[in-house]
Amino acid sequence: MKDASPQTIYLKDYTPFGWTAEEVHLTFVLAPSATRVRSRIRFAPNPDAPQQDFFLHGEQLKPISFAIDGAPVSPEITETGLTCAVPEGAFIWEAEVEIAPVENFALEGLYMSNGMYCTQCEAEGFRKITFYPDRPDVMSVFTVRIEGDETVKLSNGNPQGQGDGWAEWHDPWPKPAYLFALVAGDLVNHPGAFTTMSGREVELNLWVRPGDEGKCAFGMEALKKSMKWDEEVYGREYDLDIFNIVAVDDFNMGAMENKGLNIFNSSAVLASPETSTDANFERIEAIIAHEYFHNWTGNRITCRDWFQLCLKEGLTVFRDAQFTSDMRSAEVKRISDVIDLRGRQFPEDQGPLSHPVRPESFQEINNFYTATVYEKGAEVIGMLKTLVGDEAYAKALDLYFERHDGDAATIEDWLKVFEDATGRDLTQFKRWYSQAGTPHVAVSEAFENGTYTLTLKQHTPPTPGQPDKAPQVIPVAVGLLSPNGDEALPTKVLELTEAEQSFTFEGLSAKPVPSILRGFSAPVVLERETSKEERAFLLAHDTDTFNRWEASRDLARECLVAMITEGAEPDTAWLDGLEAVIRDSALDPAYRALMLGLPTQSELAQVLHQRGVTPDPDAIWTATETLKKTRAERWSKLLPQLAEEAKVTEPYQPDAEQSGKRALGSAVLALTSRLDGGEAAKAQFESADNMTLQLSALACLVQAGAGEDALAKFRAQWNGDRLVMDKWFGLQVAASGPSETADRAKALTEDPDFDMKNPNRFRAVMGALAMNHAGFHRIDGAGYQLLADWLIKLDEKNPQTTARMCSAFQTWKRYDETRRGLMKAQLERIAAKPGLSRDVTEMVTRLLS
Ligand code: BES
Ligand code: ZN
């Protein structure tokens, strides 16, 4: 939708809709370019709402006919919806519209993917299907009839009947329109079954395109595990007779929790050992869980308005993280989540796109499905749980489900439940929802007469529209270690509520070494001036596995910063300390693999910027390369031994144990490839019988500049597999050196298999370009220009995916004048494009502000 003057929507302006929708009947007569949608809705005046015109959202709909109580009416129709005179009491609204799913490349509303009809209605896609009060606080019971020749025709709820060319569905649970879904196509089913805790039988189906049957088993098992886990941990039972999942190739996001009919990007559900990596399997298990968990946190209890998005997303991300921790390794999951938070949410919160977990205004809601709403939103729930304790958390959640089942709720409702369940005043805690920015916590210490004092000072830098910040409630988990490495004080949670606050610990025989922010108990930047020796001590002795990893990460960061800014040599004391950890075969291989990771180049750029140094992407790249090479040389004797330990002899399983070993193995292979020019990687590539090994070997070969043969072989082997070919496209850009990245990406956009209309393929290339730090920031601006060229092209088809990818430019202000100027010029070029979508307009405006 081209919109010249985008409207800003404010949280403070919330008003309820003037009517309730008591029943919705929809009939779809499917045809690719002329689908007819008939709606019959019973509206009744909403006694809680102020007087207002009867307005229904509707976009890109061809009106056919309208009637109220059976009599034709002529509403006034604009680009965004219709208004109509209506009777004073309840009435029956009927409308018929025509839409063209085959021309819908925005992948929002009803569209087609490989000849199959599917929908995506969150957040505001239903208005592209028919005229409706398309807002989450209008909930109704839907009955849907689908007419068409497709063998499979699905909608929400339970099947109500079917015959030649038609199928009917009824969803007894009132729901907002964003949870509506319809799928029709010639699909095949991977069936399953689940018996709920109260003994009800649920039919489970995973619908895929013919040919993908062999990639369903894992997803089905993940679904059953999720259903069981939600019963055991949250007491939540499934509430329909049937649960359908459908895989589609063209999808903007990962997956969508439509009631009883989840729709998944095929990359987020289809998996087999030959075609999917361990990381793919883990992500699939998590996404299936996430969408399933929304059945309670999102569907049974939904959001009053889109400002409350974190109510369902933050909580559901928190729940899926708990699930993954239970299914796999909690320590590995926590470290991975923190890496992700620092890699995506911190840059967002420290740049022009910074916004609160609950934003107060937006132009296009699709632009607020962000790392802040999701990941920081989940961190906020984790802090709440830490502060009130596990038992009180469980009690509060029971109360939440009891009190708000069937509601469209708010963050105020959520916090009230915790206040009522615990008696705690959460007024100050609520700032986590309204204040943007990453708080910094500075630590200082003192020791005198057996008393140890920790002083914590908090400060949050200004963010757009929020120059001054008030102190927040920050749970700081702390442990103290004795100089001999024993634990002097087990983990204790300090509650930092003031701008500055001191905490004392008495009766200590010697000055302890503090282990602060254990388990990353709050999403903050910890500022602590301390010695390398102390960090090395924590690396060797900390009983908190997160902080042990963090100690190494701190040392790695300091080592790289010194290399970049002072031309220092790699820190050998750290490398020795790290070696002791990775040699320790009592430790989980997955944990050791994480220990081998380095801060990303983008993270280093951010650290330098924070310290007042303009980051030079080439210098950062060079230092990182030098360090990798040094590590490989220094550990050359150890590597074969580790490779041996990482070998899996049993048949492939994507479980935590085996994938941990393979993760260690691929970290070792990456180091080995720096010594042998790719020889070991070549051997692994040739003999691999699963995608994890094949792809990690291919990455090493491309990285070593010896990948051309293997790339050709890989392509020949996997040409027919869209998802594997996405890897082929992405990896080349991700693993190429800084001078080639942009050219490589450009060449790939000219490949006959590059399809910009498929978001997975587009992201494979353009996402990898944006993520290759030194490559994207090539000093001649080729990376910026290429990305901008394609964003401009894609915007005409798919504004949502385009807008999300604009965030590649979110750190533009931190670089040198040349790069800053080049990036700014590209942003201005995008902004100047005639007919630019509302989505992208909002993004570039915020980026440039
Ligand atoms: N409700 C979202 C999907 C969505 C996002 C729809 C934005 C429309 C606009 C879904 O529950 C979700 O959050 N999916 C995530 C994956 C999840 C594991 C965090 C996704 O699609 O990336
Ligand atoms: Zn979600």
Side-chain angles (χ1 to χ4, degrees):
M1 173 104 288
K2 314 292 179 233
D3 195 332
S5 57
Q7 293 269 300
T8 302
I9 321 281
Y10 295 92
L11 167 60
K12 62 176 168 42
D13 291 345
Y14 173 81
T15 27
F17 184 57
W19 290 262
T20 54
E22 306 198 319
E23 247 182 76
V24 177
H25 290 260
L26 299 172
T27 301
F28 289 81
V29 183
L30 297 174
S33 54
T35 290
R36 287 289 172 105
V37 185
R38 290 196 291 269
S39 58
R40 187 159 53 83
I41 308 165
R42 187 184 143 81
F43 284 111
N46 176 1
D48 302 329
Q51 272 284 297
Q52 56 195 272
D53 287 346
F54 181 73
F55 174 79
L56 300 180
H57 296 105
E59 288 177 13
Q60 296 159 37
L61 306 171
K62 183 171 162 197
I64 304 294
S65 66
F66 303 94
I68 289 181
D69 291 330
V73 290
S74 307
E76 190 187 320
I77 300 176
T78 67
E79 287 209 326
T80 57
L82 64 74
T83 38
C84 192
V86 298
E88 268 187 19
F91 59 91
I92 304 282
W93 166 264
E94 284 171 288
E96 180 162 354
V97 300
E98 191 178 288
I99 51 180
V102 76
E103 283 156 36
N104 180 352
F105 303 114
L107 314 184
E108 207 185 34
L110 177 67
Y111 66 95
M112 299 195 79
S113 171
N114 293 315
M116 144 194 182
Y117 294 87
C118 62
T119 54
Q120 171 55 38
C121 293
E122 189 179 3
E124 299 180 333
F126 193 74
R127 61 190 64 182
K128 294 180 170 179
I129 292 176
T130 191
F131 289 99
Y132 197 77
D134 187 8
R135 38 186 291 167
D137 59 345
V138 174
M139 299 168 79
S140 193
V141 172
F142 283 64
T143 306
V144 177
R145 179 182 168 90
I146 308 168
E147 297 178 12
D149 299 333
E150 294 70 21
T151 54
V152 177
K153 294 184 276 293
L154 309 169
S155 190
N156 314 91
N158 298 318
Q160 199 171 245
Q162 68 176 80
D164 204 15
W166 64 274
E168 277 180 16
W169 292 81
H170 176 74
D171 181 359
W173 299 104
K175 66 168 175 291
Y178 84 85
L179 291 172
F180 167 81
L182 176 154
V183 169
D186 298 325
L187 303 172
V188 289
N189 182 22
H190 180 100
F194 183 79
T195 309
T196 70
M197 60 189 189
S198 70
R200 278 191 314 99
E201 289 296 327
V202 182
E203 175 186 329
L204 310 177
N205 301 307
L206 175 44
W207 300 93
V208 299
R209 286 170 64 194
D212 285 335
E213 299 88 335
K215 295 184 176 182
C216 297
F218 180 81
M220 180 56 77
E221 287 316 303
L223 174 60
K224 291 182 208 164
K225 281 191 208 166
S226 308
M227 295 177 86
K228 185 117 190 81
W229 186 91
D230 214 16
E231 291 184 345
E232 285 172 0
V233 180
Y234 280 84
R236 298 294 110 203
E237 188 175 358
Y238 187 60
D239 54 5
L240 290 167
D241 304 336
I242 184 167
F243 189 81
N244 286 308
I245 292 182
V246 180
V248 303
D249 283 343
D250 301 283
F251 200 76
N252 281 332
M253 302 291 291
M256 176 63 208
E257 71 265 26
N258 315 299
K259 183 79 187 190
L261 176 52
N262 288 2
I263 297 182
F264 274 63
N265 187 320
S266 50
S267 74
V269 57
L270 300 181
S272 73
E274 299 72 38
T275 59
S276 314
T277 62
D278 291 330
N280 295 149
F281 279 103
E282 183 173 338
R283 171 165 179 263
I284 288 168
E285 188 175 84
I287 300 199
I288 289 189
H290 178 98
E291 306 311 336
Y292 176 73
F293 296 159
H294 269 315
N295 190 55
W296 277 92
T297 51
N299 302 2
R300 289 286 287 257
I301 305 179
T302 193
C303 302
R304 186 193 72 174
D305 54 69
W306 290 120
F307 296 103
Q308 321 294 330
L309 182 60
C310 63
L311 180 75
K312 76 176 178 80
E313 294 302 347
L315 176 55
T316 307
V317 170
F318 181 73
R319 274 153 49 72
D320 81 54
Q322 288 183 301
F323 170 78
T324 299
S325 303
D326 285 355
M327 296 296 127
R328 291 164 181 263
S329 151
E331 67 187 23
V332 167
K333 174 64 175 162
R334 187 61 188 143
I335 294 169
S336 315
D337 280 352
V338 173
I339 292 174
D340 193 50
L341 190 77
R342 286 186 178 141
R344 302 194 311 120
Q345 200 275 326
F346 278 25
E348 181 170 276
D349 224 355
Q350 297 171 21
L353 299 180
S354 178
H355 56 276
V357 168
R358 181 170 72 175
E360 268 142 37
S361 70
F362 62 75
Q363 289 175 357
E364 172 50 63
I365 183 57
N366 282 327
N367 290 335
F368 285 87
Y369 285 74
T370 59
T372 297
V373 170
Y374 274 67
E375 269 74 46
K376 189 176 177 184
E379 290 297 319
V380 171
I381 290 170
M383 287 189 285
L384 196 51
K385 181 161 176 282
T386 302
L387 289 168
V388 303
D390 294 355
E391 235 173 88
Y393 174 82
K395 203 171 131 199
L397 267 104
D398 286 344
L399 184 58
Y400 180 61
F401 293 122
E402 184 190 313
R403 187 183 284 176
H404 292 293
D405 187 11
D407 286 354
T410 61
I411 289 301
E412 281 72 18
D413 294 329
W414 163 255
L415 289 175
K416 183 79 168 55
V417 157
F418 276 81
E419 291 189 325
D420 291 353
T422 65
R424 211 183 148 110
D425 178 358
L426 292 172
T427 314
Q428 189 188 2
F429 185 82
K430 197 176 169 193
R431 286 184 190 144
W432 279 108
Y433 288 98
S434 58
Q435 257 181 205
T438 311
H440 289 227
V441 176
V443 184
S444 56
E445 56 180 347
F447 183 70
E448 213 176 309
N449 300 330
T451 298
Y452 179 70
T453 306
L454 266 183
T455 301
L456 305 178
K457 272 192 213 175
Q458 59 166 304
H459 163 75
T460 304
T463 52
Q466 295 187 340
D468 302 306
K469 315 278 181 172
Q472 293 180 189
V473 186
I474 303 180
V476 182
V478 170
L480 300 179
L481 298 167
S482 306
N484 67 2
D486 290 347
E487 195 150 62
L489 176 86
T491 308
K492 186 176 171 204
V493 178
L494 311 178
E495 288 183 27
L496 174 63
T497 56
E498 314 282 324
E500 177 173 347
Q501 215 171 326
S502 292
F503 301 87
T504 55
F505 306 88
E506 285 163 8
L508 294 159
S509 51
K511 181 175 178 293
V513 176
S515 165
I516 305 172
L517 208 68
R518 284 186 157 178
F520 203 66
S521 58
V524 301
V525 174
L526 194 65
E527 287 171 358
R528 174 147 196 266
E529 302 222 348
T530 180
S531 63
K532 280 191 197 168
E533 289 69 30
E534 196 167 301
R535 285 189 167 122
F537 177 88
L538 290 172
L539 169 59
H541 300 292
D542 205 326
T543 49
D544 183 72
T545 49
F546 177 84
N547 264 6
R548 205 173 170 196
W549 170 82
E550 182 86 316
S552 185
R553 195 77 165 186
D554 287 341
L555 286 163
R557 200 178 50 230
E558 294 318 313
C559 163
L560 283 159
V561 167
M563 289 171 72
I564 295 161
T565 57
E566 303 156 24
E569 292 293 314
D571 173 2
T572 51
W574 160 55
L575 291 176
D576 290 345
L578 181 56
E579 184 178 333
V581 176
I582 56 179
R583 272 182 186 278
D584 184 352
S585 43
L587 293 170
D588 179 359
Y591 182 68
R592 288 188 277 158
L594 285 170
M595 279 280 189
L596 281 171
L598 292 176
T600 64
Q601 294 172 47
S602 153
E603 195 178 330
L604 290 167
Q606 181 160 330
V607 169
L608 291 170
H609 172 69
Q610 256 165 29
R611 296 182 188 182
V613 180
T614 303
D616 172 356
D618 298 316
I620 294 174
W621 184 81
T622 306
T624 304
E625 288 294 300
T626 306
L627 180 57
K628 286 179 177 169
K629 179 97 193 184
T630 306
R631 300 205 312 171
E633 283 162 355
R634 207 174 164 83
W635 296 335
S636 62
K637 298 246 161 51
L638 173 63
L639 295 176
Q641 193 182 314
L642 286 176
E644 208 38 52
E645 245 192 281
K647 274 216 176 96
V648 175
T649 45
E650 302 79 33
Y652 181 92
Q653 285 291 330
D655 58 20
E657 200 190 323
Q658 281 196 12
S659 30
K661 282 191 173 180
R662 281 187 290 268
L664 180 60
S666 80
V668 169
L669 187 68
L671 289 166
T672 307
S673 300
R674 299 199 171 249
L675 302 174
D676 72 357
E679 207 180 301
K682 190 156 185 288
Q684 178 170 316
F685 181 81
E686 301 292 344
S687 66
D689 63 354
N690 63 71
M691 184 50 66
T692 309
L693 292 180
Q694 193 179 13
L695 201 69
S696 65
L698 183 60
C700 290
L701 288 169
V702 173
Q703 208 280 328
E708 296 310 318
D709 279 1
L711 281 169
K713 275 194 193 154
F714 189 93
R715 181 177 200 155
Q717 183 183 356
W718 294 115
N719 219 353
D721 190 307
R722 242 175 144 174
L723 295 175
V724 180
M725 283 306 289
D726 288 335
K727 300 184 198 306
W728 183 86
F729 273 90
L731 178 140
Q732 298 180 59
V733 182
S736 60
S739 57
E740 300 112 50
T741 311
D743 307 327
R744 209 25 116 146
K746 183 151 198 247
L748 286 169
T749 61
E750 285 151 16
D751 188 287
D753 286 335
F754 180 74
D755 172 11
M756 76 161 181
K757 291 206 288 308
N758 178 257
N760 293 0
R761 188 60 50 90
F762 186 86
R763 273 191 296 254
V765 177
M766 291 299 149
L769 169 64
M771 295 282 289
N772 185 327
H773 187 254
F776 180 55
H777 292 287
R778 201 170 88 180
I779 190 72
D780 66 355
Y784 311 146
Q785 165 139 19
L786 183 66
L787 181 61
D789 285 349
W790 282 96
L791 293 178
I792 288 169
K793 275 187 232 184
L794 186 65
D795 188 52
E796 284 176 18
K797 306 248 180 267
N798 186 337
Q800 195 181 329
T801 290
T802 311
R804 294 183 73 81
M805 296 203 58
C806 290
S807 61
F809 289 107
Q810 71 180 335
T811 55
W812 70 277
K813 286 178 186 163
R814 57 156 99 120
Y815 294 94
D816 52 87
E817 223 183 297
T818 309
R819 291 182 171 90
R820 229 173 27 230
L822 290 165
M823 281 189 268
K824 183 156 183 259
Q826 294 304 331
L827 285 168
E828 285 166 349
R829 184 163 72 96
I830 298 170
K833 172 84 205 308
L836 195 70
S837 68
R838 173 175 64 203
D839 309 55
V840 176
T841 303
E842 181 183 30
M843 290 299 282
V844 290
T845 309
R846 285 165 69 208
L847 284 164
L848 285 166
S849 71

